[in-house]
Amino acid sequence: MQPESEVQGILIFIAKRLADAQRLEGILTQAGIEYTVEPDEYQAGIVFRTARVGAFFYVDPADKEKAASIMLEHGYVPAA
């Protein structure tokens, strides 16, 4: 894992649960896609906003389409 200031790539997914993050790591690794995972905060809730920590997945811009396709095959919706 790289320090936050050195993260390079395109955000493809924010895992809100550990099980989702671990499963996606396995899927991307098996597909041979290099990725970076960083813990970071995201905002949750509509009325009562809270900051939560999630696993932010980044890939190289050249791998974005391949990663998105594989994610969709496994039920993950890539970040816009």
Side-chain angles (χ1 to χ4, degrees), residues 31 35 52 65 67:
Y35 59 91
R52 297 186 180 176
E65 296 302 320

Side-chain angles (χ1 to χ4, degrees), residues 59-79:
V59 295
D60 186 89
D63 292 331
K64 181 184 176 189
E65 296 302 320
K66 181 179 177 184
S69 175
I70 290 168
M71 289 172 61
L72 287 170
E73 287 177 20
H74 290 87
Y76 287 90
V77 178

Side-chain angles (χ1 to χ4, degrees), residues 1-76:
M1 220 168 7
Q2 301 173 2
E4 186 174 340
S5 60
E6 296 180 23
V7 171
Q8 302 206 358
I10 295 176
L11 178 67
I12 58 165
F13 191 73
I14 300 172
K16 298 174 182 172
R17 298 182 323 172
L18 179 59
D20 290 336
Q22 291 173 329
R23 182 169 175 251
L24 183 57
E25 283 183 314
I27 291 166
L28 294 175
T29 300
Q30 187 174 9
I33 296 174
E34 290 191 25
Y35 59 91
T36 302
V37 181
E38 284 289 318
D40 205 350
E41 289 186 356
Y42 66 94
Q43 296 294 317
I46 296 172
V47 176
F48 299 104
R49 310 252 330 143
T50 60
R52 297 186 180 176
V53 176
F56 286 57
F57 283 78
Y58 299 89
V59 295
D60 186 89
D63 292 331
K64 181 184 176 189
E65 296 302 320
K66 181 179 177 184
S69 175
I70 290 168
M71 289 172 61
L72 287 170
E73 287 177 20
H74 290 87
Y76 287 90

